[in-house]
Amino acid sequence: MCKTKGVASGLVGAVIARFEGRGFGLRGIKALRMGRELAARDDAGHVDKPCFEGLVAVIASAPVVAMVWEGREAVTVARAMMGATDSAQAAPGTIRGDFSLSKEENVVHGSDSLESAAREIGLFFDEAELV
């Protein structure tokens, strides 16, 4: 997902180019504004953490672009391409390392497992919307 900061900064194309350049295939893409309910469902894994309300508020505040990418070792490779969750710690050359400094408003989100990917894809896409 290209998060609110990435969309507002005009980085959707740059994010897509990184994944396409690496050889991933785009199987679904959708621009949307997440309401609070969908944002809370998306971040449900953080519900017991102090940061939960802030995460939900940021992601529900502006448009995002949800994407489904397919490729060899997609989860592992995508997470390496994105870099550390805390953008200030992300290495140069990663998406977060190149495009943001804030942990709270980093530019991308990616699933951390195949199970999470399946759940998250189901939140944003119907089967008919995937190619």
Side-chain angles (χ1 to χ4, degrees):
M1 174 188 301
C2 195
K3 294 169 67 173
T4 57
K5 177 72 171 175
V7 174
S9 299
L11 295 171
V12 176
V15 170
I16 290 171
R18 297 263 184 125
F19 283 91
E20 287 181 330
R22 190 67 188 256
F24 285 99
L26 184 59
R27 299 298 174 245
I29 186 166
K30 180 187 292 187
L32 66 138
R33 186 158 185 164
M34 295 170 66
R36 188 186 185 321
E37 180 183 330
L38 180 56
R41 287 176 42 210
D42 184 45
D43 281 328
H46 302 290
V47 72
D48 294 330
K49 297 179 183 175
C51 64
F52 178 74
E53 288 300 324
L55 289 171
V56 170
V58 168
I59 204 74
S61 69
V64 299
V65 176
M67 295 174 267
V68 178
W69 292 97
E70 182 178 77
R72 184 172 179 268
E73 298 292 329
V75 171
T76 303
V77 174
R79 292 193 61 81
M81 290 172 59
M82 289 185 296
T85 302
D86 184 345
S87 298
Q89 303 300 316
T94 65
I95 295 168
R96 292 175 179 140
D98 289 350
F99 297 132
S100 66
L101 285 174
S102 171
K103 182 177 183 178
E104 295 75 24
E105 292 187 355
N106 66 49
V107 298
V108 291
H109 163 77
S111 302
D112 61 3
S113 68
L114 292 175
E115 295 78 19
S116 292
R119 183 186 66 77
E120 292 173 352
I121 291 167
L123 289 174
F124 301 106
F125 295 92
D126 294 326
E127 188 65 34
E129 295 175 304
L130 301 174
V131 294

PDB file of all heavy atoms in Angstrom, residues 8-40:
ATOM      1  N   ALA A   8       0.158  11.784  -0.883  1.00  0.00           N
ATOM      2  CA  ALA A   8       0.238  13.240  -0.788  1.00  0.00           C
ATOM      3  C   ALA A   8       1.544  13.784  -1.369  1.00  0.00           C
ATOM      4  O   ALA A   8       1.580  14.892  -1.900  1.00  0.00           O
ATOM      5  CB  ALA A   8       0.087  13.684   0.668  1.00  0.00           C
ATOM      6  N   SER A   9       2.594  13.001  -1.312  1.00  0.00           N
ATOM      7  CA  SER A   9       3.903  13.429  -1.812  1.00  0.00           C
ATOM      8  C   SER A   9       4.119  13.103  -3.281  1.00  0.00           C
ATOM      9  O   SER A   9       5.203  13.355  -3.819  1.00  0.00           O
ATOM     10  CB  SER A   9       5.019  12.780  -0.980  1.00  0.00           C
ATOM     11  OG  SER A   9       4.916  13.171   0.374  1.00  0.00           O
ATOM     12  N   GLY A  10       3.114  12.507  -3.923  1.00  0.00           N
ATOM     13  CA  GLY A  10       3.237  12.178  -5.344  1.00  0.00           C
ATOM     14  C   GLY A  10       4.191  11.040  -5.630  1.00  0.00           C
ATOM     15  O   GLY A  10       4.842  11.013  -6.678  1.00  0.00           O
ATOM     16  N   LEU A  11       4.264  10.082  -4.720  1.00  0.00           N
ATOM     17  CA  LEU A  11       5.239   8.990  -4.856  1.00  0.00           C
ATOM     18  C   LEU A  11       4.648   7.668  -5.340  1.00  0.00           C
ATOM     19  O   LEU A  11       5.374   6.675  -5.430  1.00  0.00           O
ATOM     20  CB  LEU A  11       5.938   8.776  -3.506  1.00  0.00           C
ATOM     21  CG  LEU A  11       6.793   9.948  -3.050  1.00  0.00           C
ATOM     22  CD1 LEU A  11       7.252   9.746  -1.617  1.00  0.00           C
ATOM     23  CD2 LEU A  11       7.976  10.138  -3.984  1.00  0.00           C
ATOM     24  N   VAL A  12       3.361   7.639  -5.673  1.00  0.00           N
ATOM     25  CA  VAL A  12       2.738   6.380  -6.106  1.00  0.00           C
ATOM     26  C   VAL A  12       3.471   5.806  -7.315  1.00  0.00           C
ATOM     27  O   VAL A  12       3.809   4.623  -7.349  1.00  0.00           O
ATOM     28  CB  VAL A  12       1.240   6.569  -6.396  1.00  0.00           C
ATOM     29  CG1 VAL A  12       0.628   5.282  -6.939  1.00  0.00           C
ATOM     30  CG2 VAL A  12       0.497   7.018  -5.141  1.00  0.00           C
ATOM     31  N   GLY A  13       3.738   6.628  -8.306  1.00  0.00           N
ATOM     32  CA  GLY A  13       4.437   6.153  -9.501  1.00  0.00           C
ATOM     33  C   GLY A  13       5.829   5.634  -9.194  1.00  0.00           C
ATOM     34  O   GLY A  13       6.261   4.619  -9.754  1.00  0.00           O
ATOM     35  N   ALA A  14       6.543   6.300  -8.300  1.00  0.00           N
ATOM     36  CA  ALA A  14       7.891   5.860  -7.926  1.00  0.00           C
ATOM     37  C   ALA A  14       7.841   4.512  -7.213  1.00  0.00           C
ATOM     38  O   ALA A  14       8.691   3.647  -7.446  1.00  0.00           O
ATOM     39  CB  ALA A  14       8.563   6.909  -7.038  1.00  0.00           C
ATOM     40  N   VAL A  15       6.845   4.329  -6.350  1.00  0.00           N
ATOM     41  CA  VAL A  15       6.687   3.049  -5.646  1.00  0.00           C
ATOM     42  C   VAL A  15       6.372   1.943  -6.651  1.00  0.00           C
ATOM     43  O   VAL A  15       6.979   0.869  -6.622  1.00  0.00           O
ATOM     44  CB  VAL A  15       5.608   3.152  -4.546  1.00  0.00           C
ATOM     45  CG1 VAL A  15       5.270   1.776  -3.978  1.00  0.00           C
ATOM     46  CG2 VAL A  15       6.075   4.097  -3.437  1.00  0.00           C
ATOM     47  N   ILE A  16       5.443   2.206  -7.543  1.00  0.00           N
ATOM     48  CA  ILE A  16       5.096   1.218  -8.567  1.00  0.00           C
ATOM     49  C   ILE A  16       6.322   0.882  -9.415  1.00  0.00           C
ATOM     50  O   ILE A  16       6.596  -0.294  -9.689  1.00  0.00           O
ATOM     51  CB  ILE A  16       3.931   1.726  -9.445  1.00  0.00           C
ATOM     52  CG1 ILE A  16       2.636   1.736  -8.631  1.00  0.00           C
ATOM     53  CG2 ILE A  16       3.779   0.876 -10.714  1.00  0.00           C
ATOM     54  CD1 ILE A  16       1.464   2.415  -9.320  1.00  0.00           C
ATOM     55  N   ALA A  17       7.074   1.891  -9.809  1.00  0.00           N
ATOM     56  CA  ALA A  17       8.271   1.662 -10.635  1.00  0.00           C
ATOM     57  C   ALA A  17       9.278   0.759  -9.936  1.00  0.00           C
ATOM     58  O   ALA A  17       9.916  -0.082 -10.578  1.00  0.00           O
ATOM     59  CB  ALA A  17       8.917   2.997 -11.001  1.00  0.00           C
ATOM     60  N   ARG A  18       9.427   0.913  -8.626  1.00  0.00           N
ATOM     61  CA  ARG A  18      10.360   0.058  -7.877  1.00  0.00           C
ATOM     62  C   ARG A  18       9.950  -1.408  -7.976  1.00  0.00           C
ATOM     63  O   ARG A  18      10.773  -2.284  -8.194  1.00  0.00           O
ATOM     64  CB  ARG A  18      10.430   0.473  -6.412  1.00  0.00           C
ATOM     65  CG  ARG A  18      10.965   1.858  -6.180  1.00  0.00           C
ATOM     66  CD  ARG A  18      12.452   1.821  -5.844  1.00  0.00           C
ATOM     67  NE  ARG A  18      12.933   3.143  -5.537  1.00  0.00           N
ATOM     68  CZ  ARG A  18      13.554   3.489  -4.430  1.00  0.00           C
ATOM     69  NH1 ARG A  18      13.772   2.588  -3.481  1.00  0.00           N
ATOM     70  NH2 ARG A  18      13.982   4.708  -4.252  1.00  0.00           N
ATOM     71  N   PHE A  19       8.646  -1.670  -7.766  1.00  0.00           N
ATOM     72  CA  PHE A  19       8.173  -3.053  -7.806  1.00  0.00           C
ATOM     73  C   PHE A  19       8.210  -3.623  -9.215  1.00  0.00           C
ATOM     74  O   PHE A  19       8.613  -4.772  -9.417  1.00  0.00           O
ATOM     75  CB  PHE A  19       6.778  -3.166  -7.180  1.00  0.00           C
ATOM     76  CG  PHE A  19       6.812  -3.128  -5.680  1.00  0.00           C
ATOM     77  CD1 PHE A  19       6.705  -1.928  -4.993  1.00  0.00           C
ATOM     78  CD2 PHE A  19       6.998  -4.292  -4.952  1.00  0.00           C
ATOM     79  CE1 PHE A  19       6.773  -1.885  -3.612  1.00  0.00           C
ATOM     80  CE2 PHE A  19       7.068  -4.265  -3.571  1.00  0.00           C
ATOM     81  CZ  PHE A  19       6.954  -3.057  -2.901  1.00  0.00           C
ATOM     82  N   GLU A  20       7.802  -2.841 -10.197  1.00  0.00           N
ATOM     83  CA  GLU A  20       7.872  -3.316 -11.579  1.00  0.00           C
ATOM     84  C   GLU A  20       9.315  -3.546 -11.998  1.00  0.00           C
ATOM     85  O   GLU A  20       9.626  -4.536 -12.659  1.00  0.00           O
ATOM     86  CB  GLU A  20       7.204  -2.318 -12.520  1.00  0.00           C
ATOM     87  CG  GLU A  20       5.700  -2.311 -12.405  1.00  0.00           C
ATOM     88  CD  GLU A  20       5.032  -1.340 -13.352  1.00  0.00           C
ATOM     89  OE1 GLU A  20       5.630  -0.293 -13.692  1.00  0.00           O
ATOM     90  OE2 GLU A  20       3.882  -1.627 -13.748  1.00  0.00           O
ATOM     91  N   GLY A  21      10.201  -2.656 -11.590  1.00  0.00           N
ATOM     92  CA  GLY A  21      11.614  -2.790 -11.929  1.00  0.00           C
ATOM     93  C   GLY A  21      12.243  -4.035 -11.334  1.00  0.00           C
ATOM     94  O   GLY A  21      13.195  -4.591 -11.886  1.00  0.00           O
ATOM     95  N   ARG A  22      11.714  -4.476 -10.229  1.00  0.00           N
ATOM     96  CA  ARG A  22      12.228  -5.680  -9.575  1.00  0.00           C
ATOM     97  C   ARG A  22      11.651  -6.950 -10.204  1.00  0.00           C
ATOM     98  O   ARG A  22      12.091  -8.055  -9.910  1.00  0.00           O
ATOM     99  CB  ARG A  22      11.891  -5.624  -8.078  1.00  0.00           C
ATOM    100  CG  ARG A  22      12.557  -6.668  -7.225  1.00  0.00           C
ATOM    101  CD  ARG A  22      14.080  -6.460  -7.159  1.00  0.00           C
ATOM    102  NE  ARG A  22      14.720  -7.561  -6.497  1.00  0.00           N
ATOM    103  CZ  ARG A  22      15.187  -7.536  -5.256  1.00  0.00           C
ATOM    104  NH1 ARG A  22      15.099  -6.444  -4.544  1.00  0.00           N
ATOM    105  NH2 ARG A  22      15.760  -8.599  -4.745  1.00  0.00           N
ATOM    106  N   GLY A  23      10.636  -6.790 -11.065  1.00  0.00           N
ATOM    107  CA  GLY A  23      10.064  -7.945 -11.762  1.00  0.00           C
ATOM    108  C   GLY A  23       8.737  -8.424 -11.215  1.00  0.00           C
ATOM    109  O   GLY A  23       8.212  -9.440 -11.661  1.00  0.00           O
ATOM    110  N   PHE A  24       8.156  -7.711 -10.248  1.00  0.00           N
ATOM    111  CA  PHE A  24       6.846  -8.092  -9.729  1.00  0.00           C
ATOM    112  C   PHE A  24       5.762  -7.746 -10.734  1.00  0.00           C
ATOM    113  O   PHE A  24       5.896  -6.790 -11.502  1.00  0.00           O
ATOM    114  CB  PHE A  24       6.551  -7.363  -8.412  1.00  0.00           C
ATOM    115  CG  PHE A  24       7.308  -7.897  -7.235  1.00  0.00           C
ATOM    116  CD1 PHE A  24       8.458  -7.278  -6.794  1.00  0.00           C
ATOM    117  CD2 PHE A  24       6.867  -9.031  -6.582  1.00  0.00           C
ATOM    118  CE1 PHE A  24       9.163  -7.766  -5.710  1.00  0.00           C
ATOM    119  CE2 PHE A  24       7.566  -9.537  -5.498  1.00  0.00           C
ATOM    120  CZ  PHE A  24       8.708  -8.903  -5.067  1.00  0.00           C
ATOM    121  N   GLY A  25       4.675  -8.511 -10.697  1.00  0.00           N
ATOM    122  CA  GLY A  25       3.522  -8.241 -11.544  1.00  0.00           C
ATOM    123  C   GLY A  25       2.407  -7.613 -10.726  1.00  0.00           C
ATOM    124  O   GLY A  25       2.066  -8.108  -9.647  1.00  0.00           O
ATOM    125  N   LEU A  26       1.838  -6.526 -11.225  1.00  0.00           N
ATOM    126  CA  LEU A  26       0.747  -5.843 -10.549  1.00  0.00           C
ATOM    127  C   LEU A  26      -0.555  -6.580 -10.855  1.00  0.00           C
ATOM    128  O   LEU A  26      -0.951  -6.693 -12.009  1.00  0.00           O
ATOM    129  CB  LEU A  26       0.659  -4.388 -11.008  1.00  0.00           C
ATOM    130  CG  LEU A  26      -0.371  -3.503 -10.333  1.00  0.00           C
ATOM    131  CD1 LEU A  26      -0.135  -3.419  -8.826  1.00  0.00           C
ATOM    132  CD2 LEU A  26      -0.341  -2.106 -10.947  1.00  0.00           C
ATOM    133  N   ARG A  27      -1.217  -7.095  -9.816  1.00  0.00           N
ATOM    134  CA  ARG A  27      -2.440  -7.885  -9.989  1.00  0.00           C
ATOM    135  C   ARG A  27      -3.694  -7.140  -9.549  1.00  0.00           C
ATOM    136  O   ARG A  27      -4.797  -7.532  -9.854  1.00  0.00           O
ATOM    137  CB  ARG A  27      -2.335  -9.204  -9.218  1.00  0.00           C
ATOM    138  CG  ARG A  27      -1.195 -10.081  -9.679  1.00  0.00           C
ATOM    139  CD  ARG A  27      -1.376 -10.492 -11.151  1.00  0.00           C
ATOM    140  NE  ARG A  27      -0.219 -11.211 -11.636  1.00  0.00           N
ATOM    141  CZ  ARG A  27       0.585 -10.770 -12.591  1.00  0.00           C
ATOM    142  NH1 ARG A  27       0.361  -9.611 -13.178  1.00  0.00           N
ATOM    143  NH2 ARG A  27       1.615 -11.472 -12.982  1.00  0.00           N
ATOM    144  N   GLY A  28      -3.510  -6.030  -8.812  1.00  0.00           N
ATOM    145  CA  GLY A  28      -4.641  -5.219  -8.385  1.00  0.00           C
ATOM    146  C   GLY A  28      -4.154  -3.877  -7.884  1.00  0.00           C
ATOM    147  O   GLY A  28      -3.092  -3.788  -7.282  1.00  0.00           O
ATOM    148  N   ILE A  29      -4.936  -2.834  -8.171  1.00  0.00           N
ATOM    149  CA  ILE A  29      -4.602  -1.495  -7.691  1.00  0.00           C
ATOM    150  C   ILE A  29      -5.898  -0.721  -7.510  1.00  0.00           C
ATOM    151  O   ILE A  29      -6.824  -0.837  -8.319  1.00  0.00           O
ATOM    152  CB  ILE A  29      -3.635  -0.768  -8.650  1.00  0.00           C
ATOM    153  CG1 ILE A  29      -3.177   0.573  -8.050  1.00  0.00           C
ATOM    154  CG2 ILE A  29      -4.227  -0.612 -10.041  1.00  0.00           C
ATOM    155  CD1 ILE A  29      -1.985   1.190  -8.766  1.00  0.00           C
ATOM    156  N   LYS A  30      -5.956   0.048  -6.420  1.00  0.00           N
ATOM    157  CA  LYS A  30      -7.173   0.790  -6.109  1.00  0.00           C
ATOM    158  C   LYS A  30      -6.824   1.978  -5.231  1.00  0.00           C
ATOM    159  O   LYS A  30      -6.198   1.817  -4.184  1.00  0.00           O
ATOM    160  CB  LYS A  30      -8.147  -0.128  -5.371  1.00  0.00           C
ATOM    161  CG  LYS A  30      -9.464   0.508  -4.993  1.00  0.00           C
ATOM    162  CD  LYS A  30     -10.302  -0.414  -4.112  1.00  0.00           C
ATOM    163  CE  LYS A  30     -10.773  -1.619  -4.876  1.00  0.00           C
ATOM    164  NZ  LYS A  30     -11.719  -2.445  -4.074  1.00  0.00           N
ATOM    165  N   ALA A  31      -7.255   3.171  -5.671  1.00  0.00           N
ATOM    166  CA  ALA A  31      -7.146   4.354  -4.827  1.00  0.00           C
ATOM    167  C   ALA A  31      -8.416   4.443  -3.996  1.00  0.00           C
ATOM    168  O   ALA A  31      -9.518   4.246  -4.509  1.00  0.00           O
ATOM    169  CB  ALA A  31      -6.982   5.601  -5.690  1.00  0.00           C
ATOM    170  N   LEU A  32      -8.261   4.711  -2.705  1.00  0.00           N
ATOM    171  CA  LEU A  32      -9.427   4.811  -1.843  1.00  0.00           C
ATOM    172  C   LEU A  32      -9.110   5.660  -0.628  1.00  0.00           C
ATOM    173  O   LEU A  32      -7.953   5.895  -0.298  1.00  0.00           O
ATOM    174  CB  LEU A  32      -9.903   3.433  -1.399  1.00  0.00           C
ATOM    175  CG  LEU A  32      -8.960   2.628  -0.492  1.00  0.00           C
ATOM    176  CD1 LEU A  32      -9.768   1.958   0.589  1.00  0.00           C
ATOM    177  CD2 LEU A  32      -8.200   1.606  -1.315  1.00  0.00           C
ATOM    178  N   ARG A  33     -10.144   6.118   0.005  1.00  0.00           N
ATOM    179  CA  ARG A  33     -10.011   6.779   1.297  1.00  0.00           C
ATOM    180  C   ARG A  33     -10.600   5.832   2.329  1.00  0.00           C
ATOM    181  O   ARG A  33     -11.793   5.535   2.294  1.00  0.00           O
ATOM    182  CB  ARG A  33     -10.739   8.112   1.299  1.00  0.00           C
ATOM    183  CG  ARG A  33     -10.477   8.861   2.584  1.00  0.00           C
ATOM    184  CD  ARG A  33     -10.718  10.319   2.420  1.00  0.00           C
ATOM    185  NE  ARG A  33     -10.331  10.970   3.655  1.00  0.00           N
ATOM    186  CZ  ARG A  33     -10.134  12.239   3.768  1.00  0.00           C
ATOM    187  NH1 ARG A  33     -10.274  13.011   2.708  1.00  0.00           N
ATOM    188  NH2 ARG A  33      -9.806  12.761   4.915  1.00  0.00           N
ATOM    189  N   MET A  34      -9.756   5.346   3.204  1.00  0.00           N
ATOM    190  CA  MET A  34     -10.195   4.397   4.225  1.00  0.00           C
ATOM    191  C   MET A  34     -10.945   5.156   5.308  1.00  0.00           C
ATOM    192  O   MET A  34     -10.452   6.158   5.802  1.00  0.00           O
ATOM    193  CB  MET A  34      -8.989   3.698   4.857  1.00  0.00           C
ATOM    194  CG  MET A  34      -8.231   2.822   3.897  1.00  0.00           C
ATOM    195  SD  MET A  34      -6.670   2.234   4.570  1.00  0.00           S
ATOM    196  CE  MET A  34      -7.194   1.185   5.877  1.00  0.00           C
ATOM    197  N   GLY A  35     -12.096   4.693   5.664  1.00  0.00           N
ATOM    198  CA  GLY A  35     -12.765   5.247   6.832  1.00  0.00           C
ATOM    199  C   GLY A  35     -12.114   4.703   8.090  1.00  0.00           C
ATOM    200  O   GLY A  35     -11.259   3.812   8.042  1.00  0.00           O
ATOM    201  N   ARG A  36     -12.536   5.199   9.222  1.00  0.00           N
ATOM    202  CA  ARG A  36     -11.965   4.760  10.485  1.00  0.00           C
ATOM    203  C   ARG A  36     -12.176   3.265  10.716  1.00  0.00           C
ATOM    204  O   ARG A  36     -11.291   2.576  11.203  1.00  0.00           O
ATOM    205  CB  ARG A  36     -12.558   5.565  11.640  1.00  0.00           C
ATOM    206  CG  ARG A  36     -11.829   5.258  12.934  1.00  0.00           C
ATOM    207  CD  ARG A  36     -12.431   5.895  14.144  1.00  0.00           C
ATOM    208  NE  ARG A  36     -11.728   5.722  15.373  1.00  0.00           N
ATOM    209  CZ  ARG A  36     -11.100   4.638  15.823  1.00  0.00           C
ATOM    210  NH1 ARG A  36     -11.000   3.567  15.114  1.00  0.00           N
ATOM    211  NH2 ARG A  36     -10.527   4.601  17.007  1.00  0.00           N
ATOM    212  N   GLU A  37     -13.354   2.748  10.347  1.00  0.00           N
ATOM    213  CA  GLU A  37     -13.651   1.333  10.564  1.00  0.00           C
ATOM    214  C   GLU A  37     -12.712   0.434   9.773  1.00  0.00           C
ATOM    215  O   GLU A  37     -12.138  -0.513  10.315  1.00  0.00           O
ATOM    216  CB  GLU A  37     -15.105   1.023  10.186  1.00  0.00           C
ATOM    217  CG  GLU A  37     -15.468  -0.436  10.400  1.00  0.00           C
ATOM    218  CD  GLU A  37     -16.892  -0.755   9.956  1.00  0.00           C
ATOM    219  OE1 GLU A  37     -17.756   0.130  10.015  1.00  0.00           O
ATOM    220  OE2 GLU A  37     -17.112  -1.909   9.548  1.00  0.00           O
ATOM    221  N   LEU A  38     -12.524   0.720   8.488  1.00  0.00           N
ATOM    222  CA  LEU A  38     -11.625  -0.090   7.665  1.00  0.00           C
ATOM    223  C   LEU A  38     -10.183   0.064   8.149  1.00  0.00           C
ATOM    224  O   LEU A  38      -9.437  -0.910   8.216  1.00  0.00           O
ATOM    225  CB  LEU A  38     -11.746   0.293   6.191  1.00  0.00           C
ATOM    226  CG  LEU A  38     -10.861  -0.474   5.214  1.00  0.00           C
ATOM    227  CD1 LEU A  38     -11.072  -1.992   5.315  1.00  0.00           C
ATOM    228  CD2 LEU A  38     -11.105   0.013   3.785  1.00  0.00           C
ATOM    229  N   ALA A  39      -9.796   1.264   8.507  1.00  0.00           N
ATOM    230  CA  ALA A  39      -8.439   1.493   9.021  1.00  0.00           C
ATOM    231  C   ALA A  39      -8.195   0.689  10.289  1.00  0.00           C
ATOM    232  O   ALA A  39      -7.132   0.090  10.469  1.00  0.00           O
ATOM    233  CB  ALA A  39      -8.217   2.982   9.268  1.00  0.00           C
ATOM    234  N   ALA A  40      -9.185   0.640  11.171  1.00  0.00           N
ATOM    235  CA  ALA A  40      -9.054  -0.129  12.413  1.00  0.00           C
ATOM    236  C   ALA A  40      -8.959  -1.617  12.123  1.00  0.00           C
ATOM    237  O   ALA A  40      -8.188  -2.338  12.764  1.00  0.00           O
ATOM    238  CB  ALA A  40     -10.228   0.160  13.338  1.00  0.00           C
TER     239      ALA A  40
END
